[in-house]
Amino acid sequence: GNLTMTVLPSVGRLAPIVLLALSRSSPASAFASVSNNNFAHVGSRRAFASSTPLKMASSGDEKKPICIVVEAEIKEDRMEEFLDLIEKDAVGSRAEPGCLRFDVLRSKDNPNKFFFYEAYVDADAVAFHKEQPHFALWTKFKETEGIVSSVSHKTDGWFMTK
């Protein structure tokens, strides 16, 4: 069956709640705490509930997508240049045939810190991405010391949106 995920945002000091159910039905029928108007009751409070269908990669022969999470801190005096190049990189990456997504996120705690979430169908798609001119913009930016730090984490995709 389909895997359904329901995310309840933070309520007070509680962390976000994620509910997963193997169900062909909506989360509202799978969890009694979720009402018909997409709100769930957490204690005496209501929180908005959203659901997203997920595809689970098998542990067998099926290829899993390759995901890369990059955490980069940008030098403040290079921010304008960075914002221009990362937009070009994101737009170009999203047009690649093997790119499933390329998201750029900015930290609320540190406006100089960014996270890139990239997902590719396979290793060949990652290799193709690294050969593109829009990727070279990011590589050159790092080489010219536009960053304070950059750490990349390569992962296999397991529970991914369709």
Side-chain angles (χ1 to χ4, degrees), residues 86-135:
I86 200 61
E87 180 181 15
K88 290 174 182 169
D89 192 11
V91 170
S93 298
R94 291 172 188 158
E96 294 171 17
C99 182
L100 300 171
R101 78 182 302 122
F102 192 106
D103 297 330
V104 178
L105 312 166
R106 190 175 205 171
S107 172
K108 286 186 172 275
D109 298 329
N110 178 350
N112 297 329
K113 186 170 281 192
F114 290 80
F115 303 88
F116 316 151
Y117 175 70
E118 309 170 40
Y120 301 91
V121 294
D122 57 24
D124 291 338
V126 174
F128 178 82
H129 170 69
K130 290 181 176 182
E131 296 170 355
Q132 302 310 300
H134 50 265
F135 178 80

Side-chain angles (χ1 to χ4, degrees), residues 29-71:
S29 64
F31 299 100
S33 64
V34 179
S35 65
N36 289 337
N37 61 0
N38 287 335
F39 282 86
H41 296 276
V42 180
S44 62
R45 298 185 178 185
R46 284 184 353 157
F48 182 73
S50 63
S51 62
T52 304
L54 300 175
K55 179 180 179 189
M56 181 177 156
S58 73
S59 58
D61 294 335
E62 181 183 330
K63 286 186 177 181
K64 292 174 192 64
I66 294 176
C67 302
I68 301 167
V69 180
V70 178
E71 179 179 350

